[in-house]
Amino acid sequence: MRRITALVLLLLVSAVGFAQVIERVEPPCWWVGMKTDLQLLIKGDNIRGSTLILAPEDAKRGVSVGKIHNGDSPNYIFADIKIGARTPAAGYHFILVTPDQDSIRFEYNIHNREKGSAQRASFGPQDVVYLLMPDRFANGDYLNDSVEEAMEKCDRSLPEGRHGGDIQGIIDHLDYIAELGVTAIWSTPMLFDNEEEYSYHGYACADYYRIDPRYGTNALYKEFVEKAAEKEIKVIMDMVPNHCGVAHWWMEDLPLDNWVHMYDSFTRSSFALSTHYDPYASKYDKDACIKGWFDTSMPDMNLENPFVLRYFTQMAVWWVEYAGLGGIRVDTFPYSDKAAISKWVKNILREYPKMNIVGECWYGDPLSCSYWEGVKQHDGYNSNLPSIMDFPLRDAIIAGFADDSDTPFWGEGLVRVYNSLSLDFVYNNPSNILIFANNHDTNRLAHDLKGDFAKQKMVMALLATMRGVPQLYYGDELGFVSKDGTTGHSQERIDFPGGWKSDRINLFERSGRNRAQQDLFDYTSRLMNWRKGSKAVTQGSLLHYRPENDNVYVYFRYVRKEVVMVVINNGQSDFKIDWSKYQEISSKFAASVRNVITGETFLANSYVTVPGQSAVIFEFK
């Protein structure tokens, strides 16, 4: 098979002796047997009005050129390409004939798909997701810390600067991630972000078909996915169809006049996400939400334009096929035109019907979140999203565990968690919702819980056993918190100690951790690895009991031959388990009960107390 390159190699031949240049052909390559139609975006000097034909030696081999669409800019055309089901995998030579009769010849590679690609497995309730920021995780290649073509250079002394973490750093620490019991990695975007500052987060893309050279190459990213798969870890790519960066190559010469939403002066989104489902919302308010820019460096893409939608559909499919992805996370999902983003998801699922796609829909209540879960809504809308992020549960976890009194006021303490989950009836499939206690946009868990390791362990117990797909944020397993106790992105996105050669402390190694950090790591690792084999947790139903005046939350996960009981005592006093209270499910209990954490066994209905500020998980089989 020919090597897939980030940019197509172009060979220019002029019929009249005047050489022209094609700058880009995207997608960079394609595959035989795809359901997604191929439309090439071709950029070159004054090529509008050109025709495109196959070179004589490649004619009648299964590839043909369909309709040519001209861009508004004189430097673009869009070419529909048809690939027959029996087309041989090879490099195909195209000839672009300009209005001036110049002939530009280039090669385009078409490959065979990997076996079973369309039915690839994806992440789900059986998995534990590990969210990391590559720039802040580990530096495995110091030669790419600063590169000539990137405007921002590496300077680890700047809290919001580039720090040098990269793909090789992640590869080097896959064993650490696997030991933790993680089965899926979600990395914040690794595509080229070429902003002058704050480029480390990756959400202002400058090239949708190229890995940021400060992280590595497309080939290294593919290798990362393959090496993770060897350890039974899937890779979830963070995709951003809502906006690009102002440094994106097309911003100086847009293919179409309405490629992005443009204004006379900077116009920010109103962030009024309720306008999507509000039956009384004005068009003015709806447009203010979805057409304004997310930030000064993030132009808003016009997905209503069918060429833009096609571009982003092909981009997503290309990365899944090229890299072998096991899932997609979609940034700022509700900030796009909702009909267009629904089509985008549907197009991806048409190509990969088992693909799990989780959307960032940041609302504080389950009803608003549920609008974006893939099921027909009151207004007929269907986002087609298989999964969303459970921000309401996250808020309930933080607020609930913060109150650790034995007798919390009405509606406070862990009843907040209970109340949030009691609204699961609004969701189509709550078992597939991503649950978490913090991420790269929130305070660190240890900050919100004031560094209390006992509370952090209780949260880990909840995430490991609750319905949904648990997500950890890198360093949660070690109680990461900012050095000075402050908040803000630079504090939420700290470097992983030990990821740089100059670090005095290496928390990737047991020898670098203090007793509390090691205890939390061992606790989390034991839970997440046990979880893999628990059908009650990964496949089972949920039955929970309302916390009363004791701030104790008891719930059960169960399948026909397996029951898991979870007791989280967020109060200060010991809690004695009254087995009679749980008779409606106790009939499923076996005589022997096992404590998942300690391994101890005892007879059901024994005298058992749960100390304050602790959690226990019992397994009945």
Side-chain angles (χ1 to χ4, degrees):
M1 180 182 291
R2 295 173 181 267
R3 183 171 64 91
I4 304 175
T5 57
L7 296 175
V8 178
L9 179 65
L10 305 174
L11 177 63
L12 311 180
V13 180
S14 172
V16 294
F18 176 75
Q20 287 183 279
V21 175
I22 293 181
E23 297 178 26
R24 291 181 179 271
V25 178
E26 292 182 344
C29 65
W30 207 244
W31 294 265
V32 178
M34 304 295 282
K35 292 182 178 179
T36 304
D37 295 332
L38 177 61
Q39 184 179 83
L40 297 181
L41 177 153
I42 304 176
K43 184 177 189 294
D45 294 337
N46 296 306
I47 62 171
R48 184 173 59 190
S50 298
T51 57
L52 187 68
I53 59 174
L54 266 297
E57 66 270 24
D58 288 328
K60 299 182 180 180
R61 296 181 64 199
V63 177
S64 60
V65 179
K67 188 174 181 180
I68 303 297
H69 313 267
N70 289 315
D72 291 329
S73 163
N75 303 317
Y76 291 90
I77 64 169
F78 299 86
D80 296 339
I81 306 298
K82 299 178 181 179
I83 303 173
R86 297 183 179 180
T87 298
Y92 288 80
H93 297 87
F94 289 86
I95 300 174
L96 187 145
V97 182
T98 72
D100 295 330
Q101 298 305 302
D102 289 334
S103 297
I104 307 173
R105 181 184 174 100
F106 65 90
E107 184 181 56
Y108 193 80
N109 290 326
I110 297 174
H111 306 273
N112 288 321
R113 302 180 72 176
E114 297 291 337
K115 185 178 180 180
S117 174
Q119 298 298 319
R120 66 182 57 241
S122 192
F123 74 98
Q126 74 280 5
D127 290 297
V128 175
V129 178
Y130 193 71
L131 165 61
L132 59 82
M133 301 197 76
D135 183 65
R136 306 302 169 88
F137 190 65
N139 192 341
D141 182 357
Y142 289 83
L143 296 179
N144 64 13
D145 287 2
S146 296
V147 296
E148 184 177 354
E149 59 196 305
M151 288 192 285
E152 188 175 15
K153 309 305 178 184
C154 182
D155 187 346
R156 203 175 172 202
S157 68
L158 298 176
E160 296 286 4
R162 299 289 300 211
H163 290 187
D166 50 34
I167 296 172
Q168 189 59 54
I170 303 173
I171 294 174
D172 292 345
H173 294 93
L174 283 174
D175 284 338
Y176 169 87
I177 296 173
E179 181 186 359
L180 193 56
V182 166
T183 56
I185 295 173
W186 156 27
S187 165
T188 51
M190 292 195 198
L191 299 181
F192 192 19
D193 184 326
N194 200 22
E195 298 304 312
E196 294 183 11
E197 54 184 2
Y198 305 118
S199 67
Y200 74 94
H201 58 66
Y203 287 100
C205 185
D207 191 332
Y208 281 98
Y209 285 101
R210 187 186 183 194
I211 292 294
D212 193 310
R214 290 161 292 189
Y215 290 148
T217 63
N218 286 12
L220 186 62
Y221 182 80
K222 181 180 175 70
E223 181 183 336
F224 156 56
V225 176
E226 293 169 348
K227 288 186 178 298
E230 292 173 3
K231 299 183 183 299
E232 299 184 339
I233 297 174
K234 308 175 185 73
V235 173
I236 302 166
M237 180 176 258
D238 200 333
M239 296 187 179
V240 193
N242 176 66
H243 51 263
C244 65
V246 292
H248 195 287
W249 58 262
W250 59 39
M251 290 304 296
E252 293 184 356
D253 181 18
L254 292 173
L256 299 167
D257 293 340
N258 62 350
W259 192 257
V260 302
H261 293 121
M262 298 296 289
Y263 302 88
D264 293 335
S265 60
F266 173 70
T267 302
R268 192 187 298 273
S269 167
S270 67
F271 305 125
L273 296 179
S274 63
T275 56
H276 284 292
Y277 49 76
D278 179 357
Y280 313 116
S282 65
K283 184 178 184 302
Y284 174 88
D285 286 331
K286 291 179 181 180
D287 288 347
C289 176
I290 66 171
K291 295 183 179 181
W293 288 22
F294 197 76
D295 202 352
T296 54
S297 62
M298 297 175 178
D300 194 74
M301 301 307 307
N302 180 17
L303 293 180
E304 293 177 271
N305 183 314
F307 290 94
V308 178
L309 182 61
R310 175 76 68 86
Y311 182 93
F312 278 94
T313 295
Q314 291 181 152
M315 179 275 293
V317 168
W318 190 89
W319 277 109
V320 173
E321 195 72 22
Y322 167 75
L325 298 178
I328 297 171
R329 183 263 187 183
V330 191
D331 183 64
T332 55
F333 190 87
Y335 289 94
S336 297
D337 176 82
K338 69 180 188 180
I341 199 69
S342 171
K343 291 178 184 177
W344 182 77
V345 175
K346 187 175 183 179
N347 291 341
I348 297 170
L349 294 178
R350 179 172 176 264
E351 195 71 69
Y352 306 104
K354 296 181 180 179
M355 180 64 64
N356 203 4
I357 305 173
V358 57
E360 181 197 30
C361 305
W362 197 333
Y363 294 85
D365 65 285
L367 185 59
S368 296
C369 286
S370 70
Y371 183 81
W372 299 99
E373 196 190 14
V375 66
K376 190 175 182 180
Q377 301 296 327
H378 73 279
D379 56 0
Y381 180 68
N382 185 346
S383 74
N384 291 303
L385 268 180
S387 178
I388 56 176
M389 299 173 66
D390 198 342
F391 281 95
L393 181 59
R394 183 262 167 189
D395 294 345
I397 289 171
I398 298 304
F401 280 98
D403 185 349
D404 55 10
S405 65
D406 286 333
T407 56
F409 290 108
W410 181 266
E412 297 185 357
L414 290 189
V415 76
R416 294 175 183 268
V417 176
Y418 173 92
N419 287 341
S420 181
L421 292 161
S422 72
L423 297 173
D424 270 7
F425 65 88
V426 301
Y427 295 122
N428 177 51
N429 183 12
S431 294
N432 196 40
I433 293 174
L434 193 75
I435 63 173
F436 57 101
N438 66 334
N439 65 21
H440 61 297
D441 286 325
T442 70
N443 294 342
R444 279 278 175 181
L445 175 63
H447 177 274
D448 283 337
L449 299 183
K450 297 179 171 58
D452 190 325
F453 277 75
K455 287 185 177 294
Q456 293 174 69
K457 289 170 72 173
M458 287 190 287
V459 171
M460 290 300 172
L462 187 144
L463 291 176
T465 55
M466 183 47 64
R467 64 93 176 112
V469 184
Q471 171 246 295
L472 308 179
Y473 184 38
Y474 77 99
D476 284 354
E477 68 277 9
L478 293 167
F480 275 20
V481 69
S482 62
K483 294 179 181 179
D484 58 4
T486 59
T487 59
H489 283 170
S490 63
Q491 308 305 322
E492 297 150 4
R493 304 166 179 180
I494 58 176
D495 295 347
F496 199 117
W500 283 255
K501 294 177 182 178
S502 60
D503 290 350
R504 292 181 298 170
I505 297 174
N506 184 0
L507 294 186
F508 284 113
E509 300 292 338
R510 180 178 293 264
S511 59
R513 305 166 193 157
N514 61 36
R515 181 177 297 180
Q517 291 168 335
Q518 187 61 53
D519 181 56
L520 180 57
F521 180 90
D522 289 343
Y523 184 87
T524 305
S525 176
R526 190 177 298 118
L527 275 176
M528 300 309 168
N529 278 292
W530 160 79
R531 186 183 188 278
K532 295 177 183 178
S534 174
K535 290 184 179 179
V537 170
T538 59
Q539 301 176 23
S541 300
L542 170 66
L543 175 69
H544 66 170
Y545 289 76
R546 186 180 184 278
E548 298 177 350
N549 295 326
D550 47 21
N551 210 1
V552 178
Y553 185 33
V554 179
Y555 58 92
F556 295 82
R557 303 297 310 281
Y558 62 95
V559 290
R560 190 168 64 90
K561 294 185 178 181
E562 182 182 336
V563 178
V564 169
M565 178 183 186
V566 183
V567 183
I568 302 178
N569 182 1
N570 191 43
Q572 300 296 326
S573 303
D574 292 351
F575 172 76
K576 180 182 179 296
I577 297 178
D578 178 6
W579 297 102
S580 64
K581 182 176 179 179
Y582 315 113
Q583 285 185 352
E584 63 189 280
I585 193 170
S586 64
S587 60
K588 302 178 186 294
F589 291 359
S592 180
V593 182
R594 175 178 173 268
N595 185 315
V596 168
I597 297 299
T598 66
E600 297 175 288
T601 60
F602 57 91
L603 295 177
N605 298 321
S606 297
Y607 181 88
V608 177
T609 61
V610 181
Q613 294 294 285
S614 72
V616 294
I617 302 170
F618 298 133
E619 190 173 40
F620 306 81
K621 288 189 177 181

